Amino acid sequence: MDTLISASNYLSTTPSIAAPHHAAFKASPTGGSAKRAKPKLAKDLIAPSYAWGLSYLIYAVSLYLGLGTVSFIVATSALTLIIKIPIILTATLLAGFGLSMLAQAGHEGMHGSMIPNKIISAVLGIGASSMVLTYFEVGFAMRHWAHHRFTNRMNDPDIHPSAHLTIWWQRVLFSRPLYNKIYFKNTIVMALGKPFKIDYSMSYSLKTQIAFARFNLIVAFGVFSAYSYVVYLNPLAGLFIIGLPHIAALIITSCQSYVDHAGLDADDLNNAYSRTSLLMTALSFGTNYHLEHHAYPHVPCYRLPRVHKLLLAANAIPNPQHVIVPSFWGAYKAVGKAYKPNQPKEDFNPFIIS
């Protein structure tokens, strides 16, 4: 059975790689120390956990369907409208974050970080993320390794599709449908056994990638059928449990690329944000520590808060005032910041375990 290529031997399996910058980095244009080493991580920070991984999935599903159900119950109750509206809005927003977490579960799964078994981790992630209509994790993952290798650089595949969206409301309304269209096309191409060439692809064999893509399409069709049946049986239930949370998730996930990277440069430990609000962590299960994820892509999201503390203790972040965002709503200011490549095509290998 194929497994994810380990972080320690990734470099030897990938052709034409520039000298890795994983051990140290230069100061960014915004200031900071000239050269700092990333601390080594203990094995307990790197190894995925069955308990934590399954807790992530249960929590995300409960947040989505549980709060969606609360919204439906309140909407169909005898409560007055002035009481119903704030409860429904709050429950819908929280259910949207649950859906966003399910999409992120696909990301964790394809990184092999959900649970210890890499293949099952990917399968669980694909299955969970398929609960988000129109989102296809395999199509996203086909480009994601290149995003890590070229973060905020000319060859970062996450930047160019939305480059024409420069106003915040355009990004909120249109970026997610735009990216999901690309991911769907990628998944179809992979499922047909005709993947296109990309600088750095997923660290699974082609046979496994094709199987993942076909599984993604099958599960997505099953989920769509189940949702359609719910709407057929009870349109109001479909609206409040499925429809409105998906609208909320569309807005939340449309902001994702920007709250992760917009307004930053391409230097290691300065190319992503660390959104440290406790509320953000509660609604993201640790995926909000995106700076830490890019520094150590092999670390499960539920351990990233501990990695954050380790980086702070080691004084390893050159510009903490620029990349650490303690405010929940303050993190969304990045939706209006410039998101464009700011350095030439050059890669580094973040997959090596320091």
Side-chain angles (χ1 to χ4, degrees):
M1 181 178 289
D2 298 305
T3 56
L4 188 68
I5 294 176
S6 69
S8 59
N9 66 14
Y10 187 95
L11 182 61
S12 64
T13 62
T14 311
S16 304
I17 297 176
H21 298 186
H22 68 281
F25 51 87
K26 299 177 181 178
S28 73
T30 51
S33 299
K35 190 174 183 180
R36 307 180 188 211
K38 289 195 298 190
K40 294 182 179 180
L41 302 184
K43 290 183 179 180
D44 69 317
L45 279 176
I46 298 171
S49 160
Y50 282 106
W52 276 103
L54 294 177
S55 296
Y56 178 114
L57 295 175
I58 293 169
Y59 177 62
V61 172
S62 300
L63 201 61
Y64 164 38
L65 296 180
L67 272 296
T69 300
V70 167
S71 179
F72 168 64
I73 292 173
V74 170
T76 55
S77 71
L79 293 171
T80 61
L81 198 61
I82 196 170
I83 296 177
K84 284 183 177 181
I85 290 176
I87 295 176
I88 291 172
L89 288 177
T90 302
T92 296
L93 181 61
L94 293 174
F97 272 101
L99 269 174
S100 175
M101 277 185 59
L102 288 170
Q104 289 284 356
H107 166 268
E108 288 295 303
M110 294 303 289
H111 266 283
S113 302
M114 182 62 69
I115 61 173
N117 185 294
K118 306 299 184 181
I119 295 295
I120 297 178
S121 180
V123 169
L124 286 174
I126 293 168
S129 62
S130 294
M131 294 182 69
V132 185
L133 290 174
T134 75
Y135 178 73
F136 289 84
E137 171 58 34
V138 173
F140 163 79
M142 286 173 64
R143 303 153 49 92
H144 190 60
W145 266 248
H147 166 64
H148 274 280
R149 301 303 294 267
F150 297 105
T151 308
N152 285 1
R153 299 178 187 271
M154 289 298 296
N155 228 32
D156 185 342
D158 282 5
I159 293 179
H160 300 290
S162 63
H164 62 291
L165 304 177
T166 57
I167 305 174
W168 71 267
W169 62 264
Q170 293 176 330
R171 292 171 168 180
V172 168
L173 293 177
F174 304 123
S175 65
R176 179 49 51 192
L178 180 64
Y179 283 108
N180 282 1
K181 180 181 178 181
I182 295 172
Y183 303 155
F184 175 63
K185 180 181 177 180
N186 290 353
T187 305
I188 292 291
V189 169
M190 181 63 76
L192 293 174
K194 301 176 181 179
F196 55 87
K197 185 182 183 301
I198 194 166
D199 291 303
Y200 298 105
S201 61
M202 290 185 287
S203 303
Y204 297 91
S205 72
L206 179 58
K207 181 179 178 181
T208 300
Q209 293 180 53
I210 293 171
F212 283 161
R214 293 172 180 173
F215 175 69
N216 201 165
L217 292 171
I218 291 170
V219 177
F221 177 76
V223 168
F224 175 77
S225 299
Y227 285 166
S228 298
Y229 189 59
V230 171
V231 173
Y232 171 75
L233 292 177
N234 191 326
L236 276 179
L239 173 64
F240 287 98
I241 299 176
I242 301 170
L244 293 182
H246 268 83
I247 293 174
L250 174 69
I251 295 172
I252 293 167
T253 57
S254 287
C255 298
Q256 196 64 53
S257 293
Y258 309 105
V259 300
D260 283 345
H261 297 290
L264 297 175
D265 62 34
D267 288 338
D268 194 15
L269 285 178
N270 203 68
N271 58 12
Y273 290 105
S274 186
R275 305 186 303 279
T276 60
S277 160
L278 289 177
L279 179 58
M280 189 72 80
T281 301
L283 296 177
S284 306
F285 219 83
T287 61
N288 46 304
Y289 287 86
H290 205 64
L291 173 74
E292 291 74 13
H293 170 65
H294 271 260
Y296 304 97
H298 44 285
V299 174
C301 66
Y302 41 80
R303 302 201 196 283
L304 292 177
R306 290 173 59 191
V307 173
H308 175 72
K309 292 180 180 179
L310 182 64
L311 290 174
L312 289 181
N315 194 30
I317 302 175
N319 303 299
Q321 71 276 19
H322 294 290
V323 297
I324 298 176
V325 186
S327 167
F328 179 87
W329 293 113
Y332 289 94
K333 292 180 180 179
V335 177
K337 294 182 179 180
Y339 187 45
K340 58 184 180 180
N342 50 60
Q343 289 183 242
K345 176 179 176 181
E346 178 188 358
D347 71 348
F348 62 99
N349 188 2
F351 293 92
I352 295 177
I353 297 177
S354 297

